[in-house]
Amino acid sequence: MPDNRTHEQPTDISARALVKLAERAALCTPAACGAAATVGPDDDHGGPETKAAVTHPDLAPLLTVQWATGEGPVPATLRTGEPVAADDLLADRRWPRYRAMALDAGVRSTATLPFHHDGLTVTVTVCGFRPGLLDDRTRTTATLIGDLATRTLASDHACERALTEVDQLDTALRSRPVIDQACGILMHVLGCDADTAFGLLRRQSQRTNSRLVELADGVVRTKGRGIEAKLARL
């Protein structure tokens, strides 16, 4: 592994912060040949919502094999909430597939630390070419960096969640008038009340696998012409 250049391309603020965390973890561990970092919800142990960053491409398969097998220092850390170290993978036989892949990549020792904040779990894994990776000073520095980074990631996550909720609310507010208009047209054409009109519109949306607002917009544009024939098929 020639250097610690990052090979994960971030797609948002949280991913960029995760890349920086992996890089800082490697830099603050003198014996490290690289590092990896993951972030996901507290209940997502390597699931689809987990994001990851590595400082070298040879480390990416080490994360992949852990997600595939459910075995390795990261899954163990996520299950227990405690740091997990492998001081010498030549002698440590806990995770056969991970161990074989790590040794093939030249990784002799690893140490994984977990961090929790505001519903997120972050792990930081540092890897070394030689046995024995973490001393007390390195552990303290890595813990401080990881804790600060986790709080930053949690803030990013909360901001993204809030923006999503605002977008959903804005869509709902913009959609409501056209849905109300469509219900009014149905009430006039079919001589029904508002609840019945909305129920008919919703069932038509489900049957045709169409968005409710798009169906309502069609009713408004056509002023309800031909709607009786469509609804008769419900």
Side-chain angles (χ1 to χ4, degrees):
M1 298 182 195
D3 58 32
N4 286 339
R5 290 175 296 174
T6 299
H7 291 261
E8 178 78 7
Q9 294 300 318
T11 57
D12 56 28
I13 296 174
S14 294
R16 284 195 292 272
L18 198 62
V19 166
K20 290 181 181 178
L21 172 57
E23 291 174 339
R24 291 290 179 85
L27 288 173
C28 81
T29 309
C33 60
T38 72
V39 60
D42 281 341
D43 58 353
D44 187 41
H45 292 174
E49 295 185 55
T50 301
K51 298 178 182 179
V54 295
T55 58
H56 192 280
D58 288 354
L59 298 180
L62 299 188
L63 286 176
T64 301
V65 72
Q66 292 181 79
W67 300 148
T69 64
E71 296 179 350
V74 176
T77 292
L78 291 173
R79 282 193 296 269
T80 64
E82 299 293 332
V84 174
D87 290 332
D88 188 352
L89 285 167
L90 277 178
D92 194 325
R93 300 181 181 277
R94 284 175 289 178
W95 316 295
R97 289 179 60 183
Y98 170 79
R99 173 178 177 269
M101 190 169 290
L103 291 173
D104 187 59
V107 173
R108 185 76 178 269
S109 57
T110 66
T112 303
L113 299 120
F115 304 93
H116 306 275
H117 185 73
D118 195 26
L120 289 183
T121 295
V122 173
T123 72
V124 176
T125 301
V126 287
C127 304
F129 287 135
R130 298 178 179 178
L133 192 60
L134 282 186
D135 55 25
D136 290 341
R137 178 182 177 184
T138 300
R139 183 186 293 273
T140 299
T141 304
T143 298
L144 290 173
I145 291 174
D147 185 61
L148 178 60
T150 302
R151 292 176 183 275
T152 301
L153 289 163
S155 297
D156 292 343
H157 181 71
C159 181
E160 291 170 6
R161 187 169 60 237
L163 289 173
T164 299
E165 291 173 355
V166 168
D167 287 342
Q168 291 172 344
L169 179 60
D170 180 62
T171 298
L173 289 173
R174 287 186 286 106
S175 300
R176 192 67 215 181
V178 71
I179 293 173
D180 288 342
Q181 290 179 49
C183 286
I185 291 172
L186 291 178
M187 291 167 63
H188 175 74
V189 172
L190 303 176
C192 61
D193 60 23
D195 288 341
T196 301
F198 182 76
L200 289 169
L201 198 61
R202 183 176 58 188
R203 287 197 296 276
Q204 176 74 353
S205 171
Q206 293 169 344
R207 190 185 70 81
T208 60
N209 196 29
S210 304
R211 292 178 60 211
L212 185 62
V213 65
E214 292 174 352
L215 185 61
D217 184 63
V219 172
V220 172
R221 282 189 288 102
T222 62
K223 295 182 172 58
R225 288 190 295 272
I227 194 66
E228 299 98 326
K230 291 180 181 179
L231 295 177
R233 295 195 292 269
L234 288 179

mmCIF file of all heavy atoms in Angstrom, residues 185-221:
data_model
loop_
_atom_site.group_PDB
_atom_site.id
_atom_site.type_symbol
_atom_site.label_atom_id
_atom_site.label_comp_id
_atom_site.label_asym_id
_atom_site.label_seq_id
_atom_site.Cartn_x
_atom_site.Cartn_y
_atom_site.Cartn_z
ATOM 1 N N ILE A 185 -64.629 18.485 -8.552
ATOM 2 C CA ILE A 185 -65.167 18.091 -9.863
ATOM 3 C C ILE A 185 -65.896 16.756 -9.748
ATOM 4 O O ILE A 185 -66.990 16.572 -10.299
ATOM 5 C CB ILE A 185 -64.026 18.017 -10.897
ATOM 6 C CG1 ILE A 185 -63.492 19.428 -11.183
ATOM 7 C CG2 ILE A 185 -64.497 17.348 -12.183
ATOM 8 C CD1 ILE A 185 -62.239 19.451 -12.033
ATOM 9 N N LEU A 186 -65.291 15.793 -9.040
ATOM 10 C CA LEU A 186 -65.936 14.497 -8.863
ATOM 11 C C LEU A 186 -67.252 14.625 -8.107
ATOM 12 O O LEU A 186 -68.247 13.961 -8.440
ATOM 13 C CB LEU A 186 -64.997 13.535 -8.103
ATOM 14 C CG LEU A 186 -63.750 13.056 -8.852
ATOM 15 C CD1 LEU A 186 -62.914 12.151 -7.954
ATOM 16 C CD2 LEU A 186 -64.132 12.312 -10.116
ATOM 17 N N MET A 187 -67.283 15.479 -7.106
ATOM 18 C CA MET A 187 -68.520 15.700 -6.349
ATOM 19 C C MET A 187 -69.620 16.224 -7.272
ATOM 20 O O MET A 187 -70.784 15.806 -7.196
ATOM 21 C CB MET A 187 -68.271 16.676 -5.204
ATOM 22 C CG MET A 187 -67.394 16.115 -4.093
ATOM 23 S SD MET A 187 -66.810 17.391 -2.939
ATOM 24 C CE MET A 187 -68.384 17.954 -2.260
ATOM 25 N N HIS A 188 -69.230 17.143 -8.182
ATOM 26 C CA HIS A 188 -70.210 17.726 -9.103
ATOM 27 C C HIS A 188 -70.668 16.703 -10.144
ATOM 28 O O HIS A 188 -71.861 16.560 -10.408
ATOM 29 C CB HIS A 188 -69.597 18.937 -9.801
ATOM 30 C CG HIS A 188 -70.490 19.532 -10.847
ATOM 31 N ND1 HIS A 188 -71.616 20.271 -10.534
ATOM 32 C CD2 HIS A 188 -70.429 19.480 -12.216
ATOM 33 C CE1 HIS A 188 -72.204 20.647 -11.653
ATOM 34 N NE2 HIS A 188 -71.504 20.186 -12.684
ATOM 35 N N VAL A 189 -69.703 15.963 -10.727
ATOM 36 C CA VAL A 189 -70.032 15.017 -11.798
ATOM 37 C C VAL A 189 -70.815 13.826 -11.268
ATOM 38 O O VAL A 189 -71.791 13.373 -11.883
ATOM 39 C CB VAL A 189 -68.753 14.546 -12.505
ATOM 40 C CG1 VAL A 189 -69.054 13.416 -13.487
ATOM 41 C CG2 VAL A 189 -68.088 15.711 -13.248
ATOM 42 N N LEU A 190 -70.399 13.312 -10.116
ATOM 43 C CA LEU A 190 -70.984 12.081 -9.594
ATOM 44 C C LEU A 190 -72.059 12.312 -8.542
ATOM 45 O O LEU A 190 -72.755 11.365 -8.148
ATOM 46 C CB LEU A 190 -69.874 11.201 -8.986
ATOM 47 C CG LEU A 190 -68.718 10.833 -9.929
ATOM 48 C CD1 LEU A 190 -67.658 10.062 -9.167
ATOM 49 C CD2 LEU A 190 -69.233 10.010 -11.105
ATOM 50 N N GLY A 191 -72.175 13.556 -8.078
ATOM 51 C CA GLY A 191 -73.172 13.854 -7.052
ATOM 52 C C GLY A 191 -72.868 13.176 -5.730
ATOM 53 O O GLY A 191 -73.778 12.698 -5.042
ATOM 54 N N CYS A 192 -71.583 13.104 -5.357
ATOM 55 C CA CYS A 192 -71.192 12.444 -4.106
ATOM 56 C C CYS A 192 -70.615 13.472 -3.142
ATOM 57 O O CYS A 192 -70.415 14.635 -3.492
ATOM 58 C CB CYS A 192 -70.175 11.338 -4.388
ATOM 59 S SG CYS A 192 -68.636 11.927 -5.132
ATOM 60 N N ASP A 193 -70.310 13.025 -1.918
ATOM 61 C CA ASP A 193 -69.716 13.942 -0.942
ATOM 62 C C ASP A 193 -68.194 13.928 -1.070
ATOM 63 O O ASP A 193 -67.613 13.173 -1.853
ATOM 64 C CB ASP A 193 -70.145 13.589 0.484
ATOM 65 C CG ASP A 193 -69.741 12.172 0.894
ATOM 66 O OD1 ASP A 193 -68.794 11.625 0.300
ATOM 67 O OD2 ASP A 193 -70.383 11.622 1.815
ATOM 68 N N ALA A 194 -67.523 14.773 -0.271
ATOM 69 C CA ALA A 194 -66.077 14.955 -0.390
ATOM 70 C C ALA A 194 -65.307 13.689 -0.043
ATOM 71 O O ALA A 194 -64.334 13.329 -0.723
ATOM 72 C CB ALA A 194 -65.623 16.103 0.511
ATOM 73 N N ASP A 195 -65.726 12.979 1.012
ATOM 74 C CA ASP A 195 -65.016 11.765 1.416
ATOM 75 C C ASP A 195 -65.097 10.695 0.331
ATOM 76 O O ASP A 195 -64.108 10.003 0.040
ATOM 77 C CB ASP A 195 -65.592 11.219 2.727
ATOM 78 C CG ASP A 195 -65.221 12.083 3.922
ATOM 79 O OD1 ASP A 195 -64.256 12.862 3.802
ATOM 80 O OD2 ASP A 195 -65.908 11.989 4.964
ATOM 81 N N THR A 196 -66.279 10.551 -0.273
ATOM 82 C CA THR A 196 -66.445 9.567 -1.342
ATOM 83 C C THR A 196 -65.597 9.928 -2.552
ATOM 84 O O THR A 196 -64.959 9.067 -3.156
ATOM 85 C CB THR A 196 -67.922 9.464 -1.753
ATOM 86 O OG1 THR A 196 -68.699 9.081 -0.611
ATOM 87 C CG2 THR A 196 -68.115 8.441 -2.865
ATOM 88 N N ALA A 197 -65.559 11.222 -2.887
ATOM 89 C CA ALA A 197 -64.771 11.675 -4.033
ATOM 90 C C ALA A 197 -63.278 11.394 -3.816
ATOM 91 O O ALA A 197 -62.590 10.887 -4.715
ATOM 92 C CB ALA A 197 -64.994 13.164 -4.267
ATOM 93 N N PHE A 198 -62.801 11.690 -2.621
ATOM 94 C CA PHE A 198 -61.381 11.443 -2.342
ATOM 95 C C PHE A 198 -61.079 9.946 -2.351
ATOM 96 O O PHE A 198 -60.040 9.519 -2.860
ATOM 97 C CB PHE A 198 -60.997 12.043 -0.990
ATOM 98 C CG PHE A 198 -59.540 11.877 -0.661
ATOM 99 C CD1 PHE A 198 -58.573 12.663 -1.269
ATOM 100 C CD2 PHE A 198 -59.125 10.910 0.253
ATOM 101 C CE1 PHE A 198 -57.231 12.497 -0.976
ATOM 102 C CE2 PHE A 198 -57.789 10.731 0.546
ATOM 103 C CZ PHE A 198 -56.839 11.538 -0.068
ATOM 104 N N GLY A 199 -61.988 9.134 -1.797
ATOM 105 C CA GLY A 199 -61.797 7.691 -1.796
ATOM 106 C C GLY A 199 -61.733 7.122 -3.204
ATOM 107 O O GLY A 199 -60.906 6.258 -3.500
ATOM 108 N N LEU A 200 -62.600 7.611 -4.091
ATOM 109 C CA LEU A 200 -62.577 7.166 -5.480
ATOM 110 C C LEU A 200 -61.260 7.542 -6.164
ATOM 111 O O LEU A 200 -60.680 6.743 -6.902
ATOM 112 C CB LEU A 200 -63.751 7.779 -6.239
ATOM 113 C CG LEU A 200 -65.140 7.243 -5.877
ATOM 114 C CD1 LEU A 200 -66.220 8.128 -6.505
ATOM 115 C CD2 LEU A 200 -65.301 5.792 -6.353
ATOM 116 N N LEU A 201 -60.804 8.750 -5.881
ATOM 117 C CA LEU A 201 -59.558 9.228 -6.476
ATOM 118 C C LEU A 201 -58.375 8.385 -5.976
ATOM 119 O O LEU A 201 -57.504 7.988 -6.760
ATOM 120 C CB LEU A 201 -59.353 10.701 -6.110
ATOM 121 C CG LEU A 201 -58.365 11.524 -6.942
ATOM 122 C CD1 LEU A 201 -58.808 11.578 -8.393
ATOM 123 C CD2 LEU A 201 -58.252 12.926 -6.362
ATOM 124 N N ARG A 202 -58.378 8.086 -4.708
ATOM 125 C CA ARG A 202 -57.286 7.300 -4.134
ATOM 126 C C ARG A 202 -57.270 5.874 -4.684
ATOM 127 O O ARG A 202 -56.209 5.344 -5.013
ATOM 128 C CB ARG A 202 -57.419 7.278 -2.610
ATOM 129 C CG ARG A 202 -56.278 6.538 -1.913
ATOM 130 C CD ARG A 202 -56.423 6.645 -0.416
ATOM 131 N NE ARG A 202 -57.699 6.119 0.030
ATOM 132 C CZ ARG A 202 -58.158 6.235 1.284
ATOM 133 N NH1 ARG A 202 -57.453 6.888 2.189
ATOM 134 N NH2 ARG A 202 -59.314 5.713 1.618
ATOM 135 N N ARG A 203 -58.433 5.248 -4.812
ATOM 136 C CA ARG A 203 -58.481 3.888 -5.338
ATOM 137 C C ARG A 203 -58.042 3.835 -6.801
ATOM 138 O O ARG A 203 -57.377 2.898 -7.229
ATOM 139 C CB ARG A 203 -59.899 3.307 -5.185
ATOM 140 C CG ARG A 203 -60.238 2.944 -3.749
ATOM 141 C CD ARG A 203 -61.440 2.013 -3.682
ATOM 142 N NE ARG A 203 -62.661 2.627 -4.181
ATOM 143 C CZ ARG A 203 -63.449 3.397 -3.437
ATOM 144 N NH1 ARG A 203 -63.132 3.674 -2.172
ATOM 145 N NH2 ARG A 203 -64.548 3.914 -3.944
ATOM 146 N N GLN A 204 -58.427 4.857 -7.567
ATOM 147 C CA GLN A 204 -57.987 4.930 -8.955
ATOM 148 C C GLN A 204 -56.462 5.084 -9.021
ATOM 149 O O GLN A 204 -55.804 4.481 -9.882
ATOM 150 C CB GLN A 204 -58.664 6.116 -9.659
ATOM 151 C CG GLN A 204 -58.209 6.367 -11.086
ATOM 152 C CD GLN A 204 -58.757 5.331 -12.071
ATOM 153 O OE1 GLN A 204 -59.370 4.343 -11.675
ATOM 154 N NE2 GLN A 204 -58.506 5.569 -13.351
ATOM 155 N N SER A 205 -55.921 5.847 -8.095
ATOM 156 C CA SER A 205 -54.468 6.030 -8.033
ATOM 157 C C SER A 205 -53.777 4.709 -7.743
ATOM 158 O O SER A 205 -52.771 4.361 -8.367
ATOM 159 C CB SER A 205 -54.117 7.063 -6.954
ATOM 160 O OG SER A 205 -52.733 7.119 -6.735
ATOM 161 N N GLN A 206 -54.299 3.942 -6.794
ATOM 162 C CA GLN A 206 -53.712 2.654 -6.434
ATOM 163 C C GLN A 206 -53.845 1.644 -7.576
ATOM 164 O O GLN A 206 -52.911 0.890 -7.859
ATOM 165 C CB GLN A 206 -54.377 2.121 -5.163
ATOM 166 C CG GLN A 206 -54.076 2.971 -3.924
ATOM 167 C CD GLN A 206 -54.942 2.594 -2.740
ATOM 168 O OE1 GLN A 206 -55.965 1.907 -2.882
ATOM 169 N NE2 GLN A 206 -54.553 3.040 -1.555
ATOM 170 N N ARG A 207 -55.021 1.637 -8.222
ATOM 171 C CA ARG A 207 -55.258 0.661 -9.278
ATOM 172 C C ARG A 207 -54.354 0.890 -10.473
ATOM 173 O O ARG A 207 -53.877 -0.056 -11.120
ATOM 174 C CB ARG A 207 -56.723 0.716 -9.724
ATOM 175 C CG ARG A 207 -57.126 -0.427 -10.661
ATOM 176 C CD ARG A 207 -58.546 -0.257 -11.168
ATOM 177 N NE ARG A 207 -58.656 0.851 -12.086
ATOM 178 C CZ ARG A 207 -58.325 0.793 -13.383
ATOM 179 N NH1 ARG A 207 -57.867 -0.343 -13.898
ATOM 180 N NH2 ARG A 207 -58.449 1.838 -14.167
ATOM 181 N N THR A 208 -54.095 2.146 -10.781
ATOM 182 C CA THR A 208 -53.285 2.473 -11.956
ATOM 183 C C THR A 208 -51.817 2.715 -11.608
ATOM 184 O O THR A 208 -51.022 3.044 -12.485
ATOM 185 C CB THR A 208 -53.845 3.732 -12.649
ATOM 186 O OG1 THR A 208 -53.815 4.840 -11.725
ATOM 187 C CG2 THR A 208 -55.270 3.499 -13.130
ATOM 188 N N ASN A 209 -51.505 2.572 -10.311
ATOM 189 C CA ASN A 209 -50.133 2.802 -9.843
ATOM 190 C C ASN A 209 -49.643 4.193 -10.245
ATOM 191 O O ASN A 209 -48.513 4.376 -10.709
ATOM 192 C CB ASN A 209 -49.191 1.729 -10.405
ATOM 193 C CG ASN A 209 -47.859 1.679 -9.671
ATOM 194 O OD1 ASN A 209 -47.796 2.005 -8.481
ATOM 195 N ND2 ASN A 209 -46.809 1.281 -10.358
ATOM 196 N N SER A 210 -50.525 5.176 -10.070
ATOM 197 C CA SER A 210 -50.217 6.558 -10.411
ATOM 198 C C SER A 210 -50.146 7.396 -9.132
ATOM 199 O O SER A 210 -50.810 7.086 -8.138
ATOM 200 C CB SER A 210 -51.290 7.157 -11.323
ATOM 201 O OG SER A 210 -51.446 6.374 -12.490
ATOM 202 N N ARG A 211 -49.357 8.448 -9.181
ATOM 203 C CA ARG A 211 -49.328 9.364 -8.046
ATOM 204 C C ARG A 211 -50.671 10.079 -7.951
ATOM 205 O O ARG A 211 -51.262 10.468 -8.965
ATOM 206 C CB ARG A 211 -48.204 10.387 -8.209
ATOM 207 C CG ARG A 211 -46.810 9.782 -8.097
ATOM 208 C CD ARG A 211 -45.756 10.846 -8.308
ATOM 209 N NE ARG A 211 -45.866 11.896 -7.321
ATOM 210 C CZ ARG A 211 -45.540 13.170 -7.537
ATOM 211 N NH1 ARG A 211 -45.134 13.558 -8.733
ATOM 212 N NH2 ARG A 211 -45.662 14.064 -6.574
ATOM 213 N N LEU A 212 -51.143 10.264 -6.733
ATOM 214 C CA LEU A 212 -52.450 10.874 -6.511
ATOM 215 C C LEU A 212 -52.524 12.264 -7.127
ATOM 216 O O LEU A 212 -53.521 12.623 -7.765
ATOM 217 C CB LEU A 212 -52.736 10.935 -5.007
ATOM 218 C CG LEU A 212 -54.126 11.447 -4.587
ATOM 219 C CD1 LEU A 212 -55.214 10.524 -5.125
ATOM 220 C CD2 LEU A 212 -54.214 11.551 -3.067
ATOM 221 N N VAL A 213 -51.461 13.050 -6.970
ATOM 222 C CA VAL A 213 -51.481 14.422 -7.476
ATOM 223 C C VAL A 213 -51.522 14.444 -9.003
ATOM 224 O O VAL A 213 -52.164 15.315 -9.610
ATOM 225 C CB VAL A 213 -50.280 15.227 -6.942
ATOM 226 C CG1 VAL A 213 -48.964 14.676 -7.461
ATOM 227 C CG2 VAL A 213 -50.420 16.704 -7.289
ATOM 228 N N GLU A 214 -50.835 13.472 -9.654
ATOM 229 C CA GLU A 214 -50.851 13.424 -11.119
ATOM 230 C C GLU A 214 -52.241 13.046 -11.626
ATOM 231 O O GLU A 214 -52.723 13.601 -12.621
ATOM 232 C CB GLU A 214 -49.813 12.420 -11.615
ATOM 233 C CG GLU A 214 -48.377 12.846 -11.353
ATOM 234 C CD GLU A 214 -47.376 11.774 -11.714
ATOM 235 O OE1 GLU A 214 -47.820 10.639 -12.017
ATOM 236 O OE2 GLU A 214 -46.159 12.056 -11.686
ATOM 237 N N LEU A 215 -52.889 12.100 -10.945
ATOM 238 C CA LEU A 215 -54.246 11.710 -11.327
ATOM 239 C C LEU A 215 -55.212 12.863 -11.124
ATOM 240 O O LEU A 215 -56.076 13.137 -11.981
ATOM 241 C CB LEU A 215 -54.683 10.505 -10.495
ATOM 242 C CG LEU A 215 -56.034 9.878 -10.852
ATOM 243 C CD1 LEU A 215 -56.022 9.361 -12.289
ATOM 244 C CD2 LEU A 215 -56.351 8.730 -9.891
ATOM 245 N N ALA A 216 -55.061 13.578 -10.000
ATOM 246 C CA ALA A 216 -55.930 14.725 -9.719
ATOM 247 C C ALA A 216 -55.738 15.812 -10.773
ATOM 248 O O ALA A 216 -56.714 16.433 -11.234
ATOM 249 C CB ALA A 216 -55.628 15.280 -8.326
ATOM 250 N N ASP A 217 -54.480 16.033 -11.186
ATOM 251 C CA ASP A 217 -54.213 17.042 -12.211
ATOM 252 C C ASP A 217 -54.907 16.684 -13.520
ATOM 253 O O ASP A 217 -55.436 17.557 -14.220
ATOM 254 C CB ASP A 217 -52.700 17.151 -12.425
ATOM 255 C CG ASP A 217 -52.331 18.251 -13.397
ATOM 256 O OD1 ASP A 217 -52.606 19.428 -13.098
ATOM 257 O OD2 ASP A 217 -51.780 17.932 -14.466
ATOM 258 N N GLY A 218 -54.941 15.388 -13.859
ATOM 259 C CA GLY A 218 -55.634 14.957 -15.067
ATOM 260 C C GLY A 218 -57.127 15.197 -14.988
ATOM 261 O O GLY A 218 -57.758 15.610 -15.979
ATOM 262 N N VAL A 219 -57.719 14.960 -13.813
ATOM 263 C CA VAL A 219 -59.154 15.213 -13.627
ATOM 264 C C VAL A 219 -59.461 16.695 -13.810
ATOM 265 O O VAL A 219 -60.444 17.082 -14.456
ATOM 266 C CB VAL A 219 -59.614 14.732 -12.237
ATOM 267 C CG1 VAL A 219 -61.048 15.171 -11.957
ATOM 268 C CG2 VAL A 219 -59.495 13.219 -12.125
ATOM 269 N N VAL A 220 -58.588 17.553 -13.261
ATOM 270 C CA VAL A 220 -58.798 19.002 -13.362
ATOM 271 C C VAL A 220 -58.666 19.458 -14.810
ATOM 272 O O VAL A 220 -59.474 20.251 -15.310
ATOM 273 C CB VAL A 220 -57.793 19.756 -12.464
ATOM 274 C CG1 VAL A 220 -57.878 21.262 -12.710
ATOM 275 C CG2 VAL A 220 -58.074 19.446 -10.991
ATOM 276 N N ARG A 221 -57.639 18.945 -15.502
ATOM 277 C CA ARG A 221 -57.418 19.374 -16.896
ATOM 278 C C ARG A 221 -58.563 18.947 -17.812
ATOM 279 O O ARG A 221 -58.926 19.674 -18.742
ATOM 280 C CB ARG A 221 -56.088 18.809 -17.409
ATOM 281 C CG ARG A 221 -54.866 19.563 -16.905
ATOM 282 C CD ARG A 221 -53.574 19.123 -17.588
ATOM 283 N NE ARG A 221 -53.147 17.783 -17.153
ATOM 284 C CZ ARG A 221 -53.312 16.679 -17.845
ATOM 285 N NH1 ARG A 221 -53.931 16.728 -19.034
ATOM 286 N NH2 ARG A 221 -52.894 15.504 -17.398
#
